[in-house]
Amino acid sequence: FYGYFRKVKDAPPLLFKGPVPLGAKVASFMCLSLGLGMASQIPPKIQIPVEFVTNNSADENNTIATSAAAEAVVGPAPPTEGGGWKVRCPFDFTDNKDTNSPVQSLERISRHPGLWSFGLLGIGSAFLVPSLPQRVWLAMPSMVALIGGAHTDSRFRRG
């Protein structure tokens, strides 16, 4: 933070004097709204943290693992003859992990939606400042998205 506040913030060369130009405001609004829209699609599905489990309603998401490794970590599985209440995580991270279903959401556009939403938020903020070094500083997340996403994709292609 020292480098930003002491060396970068409002440092010359300045691209404009006075109020922010209209074109920069429009470009900033577009990038910020697209970045925030993408960021709103990323969080996992929220679910009720308890559920009533019966013997009839057990599927792959509701069954309790009974392997030796699971018992060592979690403990023995409770009896489920009559069913009962089961506590679960309020966030469902397995909502779209089905390998048989088609790719959904932002994953259809990019495999790295978190990187690109953060990058677009940085670019949108960079349009609003007059200082060129500060614009470069604020646009760095988009460079991370570009280079980091390409690197991750090359690692997946190699296997």
Side-chain angles (χ1 to χ4, degrees), residues 28-43 106 116-122:
S28 174
F29 176 76
M30 290 172 45
C31 289
L32 287 173
S33 58
L34 185 60
L36 287 173
M38 289 174 70
S40 71
Q41 300 294 312
I42 295 172
L106 289 176
W116 281 110
S117 65
F118 190 56
L120 284 170
L121 289 173

Side-chain angles (χ1 to χ4, degrees), residues 12-117:
L14 299 178
L15 298 176
F16 55 87
K17 299 255 187 213
V20 180
L22 181 62
K25 287 181 182 179
V26 169
S28 174
F29 176 76
M30 290 172 45
C31 289
L32 287 173
S33 58
L34 185 60
L36 287 173
M38 289 174 70
S40 71
Q41 300 294 312
I42 295 172
K45 183 178 93 172
I46 297 175
Q47 60 187 1
I48 298 174
V50 293
E51 73 175 326
F52 190 76
V53 179
T54 63
N55 288 339
N56 302 354
S57 68
D59 61 4
E60 73 241 10
N61 292 334
N62 295 336
T63 57
I64 299 173
T66 58
S67 67
E71 286 185 12
V73 175
V74 180
T80 58
E81 289 95 22
W85 290 99
K86 177 182 156 189
V87 177
R88 60 185 181 174
C89 181
F91 303 107
D92 186 11
F93 294 105
T94 62
D95 182 38
N96 58 357
K97 299 292 184 199
D98 187 15
T99 57
N100 297 330
S101 68
V103 179
Q104 299 174 353
S105 174
L106 289 176
E107 302 277 333
R108 296 175 70 183
I109 302 168
S110 169
R111 278 191 273 203
H112 318 289
L115 288 175
W116 281 110
S117 65

Side-chain angles (χ1 to χ4, degrees), residues 132-155:
L132 186 60
Q134 193 173 0
R135 278 190 179 199
V136 171
W137 175 275
L138 290 171
M140 275 304 143
S142 62
M143 296 304 296
V144 170
L146 184 66
I147 296 168
H151 173 70
T152 304
D153 288 342
S154 71
R155 299 285 294 186

